[in-house]
Amino acid sequence: MGGNQTWITEVTLLGFQVDSALELFLFGLFCLFYTLTLLGNGVILGLICLDPRLHTPMYFFLSHLAIVDMSYASNNVPKMLANLVNLKRTISFAPCIMQTFLYLAFAHVECLILVVMSYDRFVAICHPLHYTVIMSWRICMVLAGTSWVFSFLLALVHLILILRLPFCGPHEINHFFCEILSVLKLACADTRLNQMVIFAACVFILLGPLCLVLVSYSRILLAILRIQSGEGRRKPFSTCSSHLCVVGLFFGSAIVMYMAPKSRHPEEQQKILSLFYSLFNPMLNPLIYSLQNAEVKGALRRVLYKWRHM
């Protein structure tokens, strides 16, 4: 590398390049969404902890999903909100790289937790007599722990590959947070290895899990269709349809983001799709589960009843 290069110490997040009036509107809107994300997932997590009837494997994994969603949103959204109302939109390079690492780690965790949740529903509906044996608490802890550990290790691989690169400009990221593809554009070296690892990770962490989820729910659908009574079909179909909504939103936006051919405006496309990851998905998940799930609504009524009579 040349000896007169300027090395990056901080970068500017360009964010949404709109006029000031629209920025204030977006600040209010995204602040509302972020509050609903924390409130909705916090309520789900609190209900699962407080209500003994929700101490089952399905809700154990749902509690992990709520933690991931709150963490994921909190990693990206506060800086985005600050930049919407501040003229100085810089971030030091070390926090920027940490934001990239956590963004990847939480995204990987969500992928694997959704797969584990689909497996849990598959066992519950297709092998109900063996459910308590197959999905014992020991197995649940192992599945959840493995998802977290593996996800952070995979994100660490990306981090190490990023840190081996020299970063010497430009000093601007055309995004509202330090998304990995945008960060790589700052490197003044060949990033083909990084791009290859990202694509391989997408195949492994997106396409592979998505195939497993689709196989699980195909088997579940066949099992539901064999149930004779309408009432017997309703509960598993309601639960699985909510799971599929979450899976479709998450995996669909991720695959379009990282595996689909780029459009003529890839950076603007990335910003919109990243909003699904950072804000819309985490906000919608508790709504989807609570509106479709009678057990969650029942737990909420019981908790509110207790509080009223305390």
Side-chain angles (χ1 to χ4, degrees), residues 107-124:
H108 295 156
V109 174
E110 182 144 356
C111 285
L112 297 180
I113 290 295
L114 288 174
V115 173
V116 172
M117 291 177 72
S118 70
Y119 176 69
D120 171 72
R121 292 299 85 204
F122 165 73
V123 175

Side-chain angles (χ1 to χ4, degrees), residues 3 12 74 212 222 228 258 262 269:
T12 300
S74 298
L212 291 175
L222 292 174
Q228 299 297 323
Y258 290 104
K262 303 301 180 186
Q269 179 192 56

Side-chain angles (χ1 to χ4, degrees), residues 91-112:
I91 181 172
S92 299
F93 194 63
C96 179
I97 295 298
M98 181 55 65
Q99 189 181 56
T100 303
F101 169 72
L102 293 175
Y103 153 76
L104 292 169
F106 292 135
H108 295 156
V109 174
E110 182 144 356
C111 285
L112 297 180

Side-chain angles (χ1 to χ4, degrees), residues 46-47 50-51 298-308:
L47 289 176
L50 293 173
D51 196 319
L300 180 60
R301 284 194 294 268
R302 287 190 293 274
V303 169
L304 293 176
Y305 180 82
K306 287 180 182 179
W307 283 356
R308 288 173 184 169

Side-chain angles (χ1 to χ4, degrees), residues 165-230:
L165 297 170
F167 290 90
C168 50
H171 293 251
E172 294 179 340
I173 293 178
N174 190 12
H175 216 296
F176 60 84
F177 77 104
C178 296
E179 191 271 331
I180 185 169
L181 297 178
S182 300
V183 170
L184 290 177
K185 293 177 182 178
L186 305 179
C188 47
D190 189 0
T191 61
R192 279 181 293 182
L193 177 60
N194 298 74
Q195 300 283 355
M196 289 171 58
V197 172
I198 290 171
F199 184 80
C202 286
V203 172
F204 184 75
I205 209 77
L206 285 177
L207 290 185
L210 180 60
C211 290
L212 291 175
V213 169
L214 292 177
V215 168
S216 295
Y217 281 110
S218 297
R219 297 282 301 276
I220 289 171
L221 181 60
L222 292 174
I224 291 174
L225 292 176
R226 293 193 203 103
I227 298 174
Q228 299 297 323
S229 68

Side-chain angles (χ1 to χ4, degrees), residues 40-42 44-45 48 61-71:
N41 285 287
I44 291 285
L45 188 60
I48 293 170
F61 295 126
L62 182 57
S63 69
H64 282 266
L65 186 65
I67 292 170
V68 171
D69 284 337
M70 287 190 290
S71 303

Side-chain angles (χ1 to χ4, degrees), residues 258-271:
Y258 290 104
M259 304 195 74
K262 303 301 180 186
S263 70
R264 294 181 181 179
H265 307 286
E267 291 174 335
E268 298 306 314
Q269 179 192 56
Q270 286 176 17
K271 292 177 191 178

